[in-house]
Amino acid sequence: MVDYEKKELLYRGKAKEMFATNVSDVVWVHYMDQVTALNGKKKVQMTDKGTTNNQISSLIFSDLTANGIPNDFIKQIDANNQLVKKVQIIPLEVVIRNFASSSFERKFAVDHLLKFEQPVKEFFYKSDKLDDPFINDSQIKALNIATQQQLDQMRDLALKINQRLRTIFAAMQIELIDFKVEFGLDQTGEIILADEISPDSCRLVDQKTKESLDKDVFRKGLGELVPVYKTVLQRLQKVEGHN
Ligand code: C5P
C-alpha cells in the first residue's frame, strides 16, 4: 500500500484545489467549502459544502467504475479529499439534456422542462475569459481541441453516463434534467471521465415536490444550499448501500 503525501498546489479552481502527490501520475483533490456561480462572480463560503460534494462525487464515480465507465477516480481519502489519476483535461464541457431548462430554454424559447425524445448533446469551450462559449464539431477540430474520433467517443461516453445517472437518480426519486461532464486523456492517451459529478454540475428535481436539488438553489437564491446537497447525499448513500 502506497502512503500518499500531498505536495505542491498545481491548480486552484472555483470549487476544488489540485495538489501533486509523491506518486507522479496521482493527483490529490481538495473539495473546498465554497460555492460560485455566474463564472465566479457570485462566491460564498459554506461549511460542509466540499465534504458533501466529495462524498457524492466519490459514490457516483465508484458506481460508474462498477458500470464500465472509464474514469480518473482512485479513492476518497477523507471528508474533503480524494485521489485521482493525473489526466490532461480536454477543454470542453459536455452537456447532456433530458429536459429543457436554463440556457436551452432561453435560447430556443421553449417550455420549461420540455421532455426530449432523445438526449440533447452540446459542447462548450472551457474558457473563463470567453464565458465558456458554445462550440460545434467543426470549430473544435479547427481549433485542434479534439479529433472527430475523440468527439464521438466523448458523446458516446456521456450518453452512457446519462443512462446510468438517470437510473441512480430515479431510484432516489429524482429526475435528472441535465448535467455537465469533463473528459481527460490518461497517461496512455485514452479518453476517460474526469472532474466531478455532483449537484454543482447536474440539474436535479425531486419527482414528487418538483423542488430543485442542485446549484440552482444558490443561483436563484431559493434557500440554503448545503441542506439540499445533504438530502441528495443521504438518498444516494441509501441506493448505493452506504449507510
Ligand atoms: O446553464 P446550462 O443550461 O447550459 O447548464 C446545463 C448543465 O450544465 C447544468 O446541469 C449545469 O449545472 C451544468 N453546467 C456546469 N458548469 C458550467 C455550465 C453548466 O456544471 N460552467
Side-chain angles (χ1 to χ4, degrees), residues 93 97 102-103 132 178-180 200-203 219:
E93 299 195 333
R97 302 178 191 275
S102 188
S103 72
D132 301 339
D178 56 32
F179 66 97
K180 180 266 310 182
D200 270 8
S201 57
C202 299
R203 197 163 269 124
R219 292 189 189 102

Side-chain angles (χ1 to χ4, degrees), residues 33-232:
D33 284 335
Q34 175 172 297
V35 59
T36 68
L38 307 170
N39 206 358
K41 288 178 206 87
K42 188 173 172 186
K43 186 197 293 190
V44 176
Q45 303 303 313
M46 280 182 198
T47 307
D48 281 354
K49 191 263 181 182
T51 313
T52 312
N53 267 5
N54 183 32
Q55 291 182 80
I56 291 173
S57 198
S58 295
L59 282 172
I60 291 179
F61 271 64
S62 301
D63 181 295
L64 293 176
T65 302
N67 283 280
I69 305 289
N71 66 73
D72 68 348
F73 181 73
I74 300 175
K75 66 171 181 177
Q76 190 183 334
I77 306 169
D78 57 25
N80 283 73
N81 298 286
Q82 58 174 245
L83 294 171
V84 301
K85 289 179 212 157
K86 190 177 224 165
V87 295
Q88 190 193 327
I89 289 284
I90 299 168
L92 294 173
E93 299 195 333
V94 185
V95 170
I96 299 289
R97 302 178 191 275
N98 297 307
F99 299 84
S101 190
S102 188
S103 72
F104 188 100
E105 189 184 331
R106 285 193 298 274
K107 193 169 180 180
F108 300 108
V110 291
D111 285 347
H112 183 55
L113 300 189
L114 168 76
K115 191 175 194 303
F116 300 126
E117 287 300 320
Q118 296 294 325
V120 172
K121 298 149 268 179
E122 296 172 0
F123 287 102
F124 295 84
Y125 179 45
K126 260 170 76 76
S127 163
D128 284 344
K129 202 173 65 189
L130 302 175
D131 251 345
D132 301 339
F134 177 87
I135 188 166
N136 72 17
D137 282 29
S138 65
Q139 290 167 332
I140 290 171
K141 285 180 279 177
L143 295 174
N144 284 321
I145 295 168
T147 63
Q148 187 62 54
Q149 197 196 1
Q150 289 173 328
L151 287 178
D152 293 341
Q153 244 178 301
M154 282 188 272
R155 256 192 289 260
D156 184 50
L157 279 171
L159 288 176
K160 288 188 175 128
I161 293 163
N162 184 44
Q163 272 185 355
R164 182 62 200 156
L165 291 181
R166 289 190 83 174
T167 304
I168 301 171
F169 286 122
M172 297 161 60
Q173 283 78 53
I174 290 173
E175 197 74 72
L176 176 63
I177 306 303
D178 56 32
F179 66 97
K180 180 266 310 182
V181 280
E182 296 181 23
F183 294 93
L185 298 174
D186 70 9
Q187 304 296 304
T188 67
E190 279 304 304
I191 289 191
I192 63 174
L193 174 68
D195 195 49
E196 71 178 276
I197 297 181
S198 73
D200 270 8
S201 57
C202 299
R203 197 163 269 124
L204 306 171
V205 169
D206 186 288
Q207 283 176 347
K208 280 202 203 95
T209 66
K210 309 293 175 205
E211 280 170 320
S212 287
L213 299 174
D214 60 66
K215 199 157 90 170
D216 274 355
V217 171
F218 175 70
R219 292 189 189 102
K220 298 180 181 171
L222 301 176
E224 286 224 43
L225 190 71
V226 174
V228 169
Y229 280 26
K230 284 187 175 172
T231 301
V232 173

